[in-house]
Amino acid sequence: MKILISGNPAFGLAEALNTVLEEYELMFVSRTTHKLDLTKAENQQAFADMSIDYDVVILNSALWKFNQTLLLESVYKKLKAEGKQTLIICIGSTTDRVMKATDWLYNAEKKALRDYCNSLSMTGVWAKNPRVTLISFGTLSNNQAKHPDRKTMPTKQAADYIKWIISQPAGVHINELSVDPLQT
């Protein structure tokens, strides 16, 4: 199985995926690995063009200014146009469920990603389209320094959940999964 992953394999969740998914053929794309800044539309399209050769695409990069959602749009449209039934896994955040006043755009970006993933995931259930799964995590261990008062989830554990999604049984589709480390 061939898996395309946005992100730097030497950092965070991408690093854990590089270890947990070692039996698969992996390609990581980032500013570091391919000199592709995925916040630029032309590079999002280049990534989408690459995606047609893969069985699974993991959108792992924590892109800002809604670029993770725009990258999903580019990848999904390219795969659909090519008639591919590729599994697209988007990494979200459980902060998308926060219901408090804030001027932090990250929450809204992750809400947009969640909404778009949910819409696209249903198209893969009812037609031979790419399948889209959103997996949202609470604070991961690579962000412990930003949130020293929180209990975090090890990135390897998060990567194990992603591997579980990849190996979902035939005949079903996991649309969404939300996982938080307990704080009590």
Side-chain angles (χ1 to χ4, degrees), residues 30-154:
S30 68
R31 283 187 300 260
T32 306
T33 60
H34 285 80
K35 307 293 185 235
L36 281 182
D37 179 351
L38 294 174
T39 65
K40 298 185 182 307
E42 63 271 14
N43 293 340
Q44 291 172 3
Q45 191 56 55
F47 184 88
D49 291 343
M50 285 182 196
S51 73
I52 64 171
D53 295 324
Y54 291 85
D55 305 299
V56 177
V57 176
I58 301 174
L59 302 181
N60 172 62
S61 301
L63 301 175
W64 57 299
K65 293 189 176 180
F66 298 91
N67 283 297
Q68 189 176 13
T69 304
L70 295 171
L71 180 59
L72 169 59
E73 178 186 38
S74 294
V75 170
Y76 180 85
K77 286 182 175 180
K78 181 65 175 184
L79 292 170
K80 184 177 178 182
E82 296 288 329
K84 301 286 186 168
Q85 293 180 303
T86 304
L87 173 61
I88 304 169
I89 301 172
C90 296
I91 309 304
S93 171
T94 59
T95 193
D96 69 356
R97 298 170 193 267
V98 172
M99 302 303 279
K100 65 179 182 179
T102 181
D103 61 357
W104 194 32
L105 191 58
Y106 184 76
N107 298 26
E109 290 173 324
K110 292 303 181 178
K111 284 179 185 182
L113 178 65
R114 181 174 173 237
D115 186 55
Y116 194 48
C117 283
N118 284 334
S119 180
L120 293 179
S121 72
M122 295 312 295
T123 70
V125 170
W126 293 100
K128 292 190 175 201
N129 289 331
R131 294 172 295 136
V132 177
T133 297
L134 174 70
I135 183 165
S136 298
F137 296 107
T139 307
L140 297 178
S141 57
N142 62 308
N143 287 313
Q144 181 72 64
K146 291 180 191 174
H147 307 285
D149 58 326
R150 291 187 195 166
K151 293 180 183 173
T152 60
M153 177 185 297

